[in-house]
């Protein structure tokens, strides 16, 4: 088996559902206000998928754009990884449903459950398959319909999340590409963020519905403190692995969970604000889709140029985390 083929991102796409839910709209639903949400999270609005749009639908539109930008036909894609914690159903994998929508008959397909770090996990997994020569290319999609697992009566969580999808096509590149990566997890912290019902432990029943166990439960304050440490440690670790420093970063793309978390990470790492890409104000936290959409928007807005050093850095329920350094190919 061939080894160490350079792997880069050769096409990006995103899809955001049309319906916008503003902080003002939320004021009518729970005891909250625009000022609290803005100062505590930096979020102004989020998008909500229509009732006939599912995670696979959002993923499909993002993937179509990424394939078009990569100039690769769906039928030539060899691997599809969908990172999601809101699959259309428990099984089959949402990746298989996306395969069918795209007509990507040749692809092997599976889902990754790594919450907000799912897109970074997916990128690193796809890289392994391509760098060993197993597959020539891969489509990695971060897609979420978090509105389906949001408790719209819980002000502690409902103000935070939104729906969307981002996709990347990975392939071999002549120069640059993914330089290094680091994935980690700590299952001892699994109780901090979860959807407790609907799995094999608490299958759906009248009781689980009555107890509200099918929506996100989160100990936000504890997550906040851990997120700052985990994200800054992970980013510093990948930079060190490829003998780069914070000064070498051209574009830092952290998981868009909360502007305050990102500001604290920036302060801890001493990354200047102008190097960080933010879009949390427009979309809220879209879990695995957040980093994917941010990467796509950073590229499409000209923030990422050939030769640039780009750092992706994410954390989420698990807890899990992941970071990687990409040198954008020339
Ligand atoms: N509007 C008004 N008041 C509110 C709201 C709201 N929407 N939500 C909570 N409050 C109140 C609380 O009830 C509390 O009131 P009290 O003091 O009377 O008890 C007060 O505001 C302060 O609450 P805290 O929880 O201490 O507020 P904090 O500053 O920590 O902000 C937040 C909360 C925004 C959730 C923050 O902790 C956070 O962002 N945590 C990280 C969440 C995260 O990033 N998760 C990512 C993973 S998600 C995944 O993997 C799918």
């Amino acid at each position: 088996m061939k080894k160490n083929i350079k792997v880069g991102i050769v096409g990006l796409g995103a899809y955001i559902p049309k319906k916008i839910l503003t902080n003002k709209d939320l004021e009518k639903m729970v005891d909250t206000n625009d000022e609290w949400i803005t100062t505590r999270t930096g979020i102004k609005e989020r998008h909500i998928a229509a009732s006939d749009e599912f995670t696979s639908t959002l993923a499909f539109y993002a993937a179509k754009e990424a394939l078009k930008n990569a100039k690769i036909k769906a039928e030539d894609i060899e691997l599809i990884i969908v990172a999601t914690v809101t699959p259309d159903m428990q099984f089959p994998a949402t990746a298989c449903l996306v395969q069918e929508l795209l007509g990507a008959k040749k692809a092997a397909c599976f889902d990754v459950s790594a919450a907000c770090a799912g897109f970074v996990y997916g990128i690193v997994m796809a890289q392994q398959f391509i760098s060993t020569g197993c597959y020539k290319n891969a489509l990695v999609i971060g897609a979420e319909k978090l509105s389906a697992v949001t408790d719209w009566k819980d002000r502690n969580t409902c103000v935070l999340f939104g729906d969307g999808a981002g996709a990347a096509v990975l392939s071999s590149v002549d120069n640059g590409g993914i330089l290094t990566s680091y994935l980690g997890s700590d299952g001892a912290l699994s109780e901090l963020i979860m959807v407790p019902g609907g799995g094999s432990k608490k299958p759906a029943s009248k009781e689980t519905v009555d107890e509200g166990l099918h929506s996100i439960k989160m100990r936000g304050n504890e997550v906040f403190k851990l997120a700052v440490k985990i994200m800054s440690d992970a980013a510093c670790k990948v930079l060190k692995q490829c003998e780069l420093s914070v000064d070498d970063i051209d574009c830092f793309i952290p998981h868009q969970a909360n502007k305050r978390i990102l500001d604290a990470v920036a302060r801890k790492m001493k990354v200047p604000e102008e190097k960080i890409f933010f879009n949390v104000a427009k979309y809220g936290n879209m879990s695995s889709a957040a980093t994917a959409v941010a990467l796509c928007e950073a590229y499409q807005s000209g923030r990422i140029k050939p030769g640039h050093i780009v750092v992706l850095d994410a954390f989420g329920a698990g807890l899990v985390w992941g970071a990687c350094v990409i040198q954008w190919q020339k």
Side-chain angles (χ1 to χ4, degrees):
M1 192 171 267
K2 283 187 262 172
K3 282 211 173 92
N4 292 330
I5 296 168
K6 286 191 175 83
V7 181
I9 293 175
V10 297
L12 289 162
Y15 176 75
I16 302 294
K18 284 199 183 61
K19 187 183 166 191
I20 295 174
L21 186 71
T22 65
N23 292 348
K24 287 276 172 208
D25 295 328
L26 282 164
E27 286 179 8
K28 292 174 209 142
M29 296 160 65
V30 285
D31 181 15
T32 189
N33 57 74
D34 176 46
E35 204 256 328
W36 191 98
I37 303 172
T38 306
T39 53
R40 298 288 180 126
T41 73
I43 300 166
K44 295 300 281 183
E45 56 191 37
R46 66 289 292 142
H47 290 243
I48 306 295
S51 57
D52 60 351
E53 285 182 318
F54 321 113
T55 296
S56 62
T57 329
L58 312 183
F60 165 67
Y61 288 130
K64 243 176 88 164
E65 188 185 313
L67 287 169
K68 190 172 160 221
N69 289 331
K71 299 187 176 65
I72 293 181
K73 291 195 191 98
E75 54 266 36
D76 294 330
I77 282 291
E78 298 186 356
L79 175 68
I80 300 176
I81 301 175
V82 172
T84 187
V85 287
T86 50
D88 283 23
M89 53 194 104
Q90 286 225 355
F91 63 85
T94 300
C96 296
L97 307 177
V98 175
Q99 171 190 32
E100 175 59 13
L101 290 168
L102 287 170
K105 295 281 182 209
K106 212 202 274 183
C109 300
F110 62 89
D111 288 1
V112 170
S113 174
C116 307
F119 181 68
V120 178
Y121 265 68
I123 292 281
V124 174
M125 289 165 106
Q127 181 205 2
Q128 309 306 311
F129 282 109
I130 299 169
S131 72
T132 54
C134 184
Y135 295 123
K136 283 198 196 65
N137 56 43
L139 180 58
V140 179
I141 310 164
E144 304 286 2
K145 186 174 174 178
L146 289 170
S147 59
V149 291
T150 298
D151 178 352
W152 292 105
K153 293 193 179 83
D154 176 15
R155 70 174 184 174
N156 291 294
T157 53
C158 76
V159 301
L160 301 174
F161 301 107
D163 300 336
V169 177
L170 278 75
S171 173
S172 61
V173 288
D174 296 334
N175 57 75
I178 300 164
L179 303 182
T180 189
S181 62
Y182 161 58
L183 304 177
S185 52
D186 185 353
L189 301 168
S190 60
E191 291 192 353
L192 294 184
I193 320 166
M194 58 165 65
V195 176
S200 60
K201 189 171 179 183
K202 293 189 181 188
S205 65
K206 185 175 178 312
E207 287 72 33
T208 60
V209 173
D210 290 348
E211 287 170 40
L213 300 185
H214 296 278
S215 54
I216 300 168
K217 311 288 169 220
M218 184 174 70
R219 295 188 348 226
N221 218 288
E222 287 163 71
V223 175
F224 190 106
K225 287 174 209 146
L226 286 162
V228 175
K229 179 169 171 17
I230 287 170
M231 286 179 79
S232 34
D233 286 356
C236 290
K237 190 166 176 140
V238 283
L239 285 170
K240 199 170 165 206
Q241 276 171 199
C242 52
E243 293 172 4
L244 294 173
S245 75
V246 166
D247 295 340
D248 297 310
I249 300 176
D250 294 297
C251 189
F252 183 48
I253 303 186
H255 169 49
Q256 308 284 313
N258 175 326
K259 178 76 163 52
R260 271 165 62 221
I261 294 180
L262 306 190
D263 289 344
V265 170
R267 273 195 305 276
K268 201 159 187 268
M269 288 179 61
K270 300 192 174 61
V271 188
E273 175 139 339
E274 61 273 15
K275 289 189 173 187
I276 308 174
F277 189 81
F278 299 106
N279 63 9
V280 69
K282 292 191 289 179
Y283 306 128
N285 180 350
M286 298 184 290
S287 192
S288 71
T291 319
V293 171
L295 177 63
C296 179
E297 289 194 345
Y299 181 74
Q300 289 180 350
S301 65
R303 291 278 298 271
I304 299 173
K305 301 225 162 9
H308 270 180
I309 294 292
V310 179
V311 176
L312 302 184
D313 188 14
F315 80 97
L319 291 183
V320 292
W321 53 89
C324 65
V325 180
I326 305 170
Q327 182 168 35
W328 219 259
Q329 57 277 6
K330 289 177 182 150

